[in-house]
Amino acid sequence: MTQMYMRGGVYFGTAAQMMDRIEELEAKLAEAESRSEVLETLVMDVAADLHDGVPDYKIDQRIGDVMRQLDEEGEDQ
């Protein structure tokens, strides 16, 4: 007999299904953390560029490049 898991009235399935879901959520969390780090770095770089007087069009270009890279990485997964 296969053991089923429930918590708070929500069905979680078998232990194997639960472990698969946990792994899936951990992968999504890692992706979100990675994106967050990239965006944090971008904000710091843009702030430094603004302070250094870098022209707006170059800053816009950098932001666009990073956002495209993040979008491409998201599509690959």
Side-chain angles (χ1 to χ4, degrees):
M1 177 185 212
T2 302
Q3 180 68 38
M4 301 295 192
Y5 290 89
M6 245 184 154
R7 182 174 183 148
V10 177
Y11 167 72
F12 286 102
T14 65
Q17 290 169 326
M18 232 166 79
M19 293 305 297
D20 289 345
R21 181 68 176 142
I22 288 169
E23 289 174 6
E24 178 185 325
L25 292 172
E26 286 174 341
K28 286 183 179 183
L29 177 60
E31 178 186 343
E33 288 173 342
S34 175
R35 289 177 65 91
S36 176
E37 289 174 9
V38 169
L39 292 172
E40 183 178 326
T41 301
L42 175 62
V43 168
M44 292 170 43
D45 289 348
V46 166
D49 287 349
L50 288 171
H51 182 266
D52 294 342
V54 173
D56 289 348
Y57 77 92
K58 285 191 176 187
I59 294 172
D60 290 344
Q61 215 171 24
R62 177 185 290 200
I63 292 170
D65 291 346
V66 170
M67 296 310 291
R68 274 188 295 282
Q69 178 186 358
L70 288 174
D71 288 343
E72 289 171 2
E73 288 173 3
E75 289 172 359
D76 290 343
Q77 295 184 7

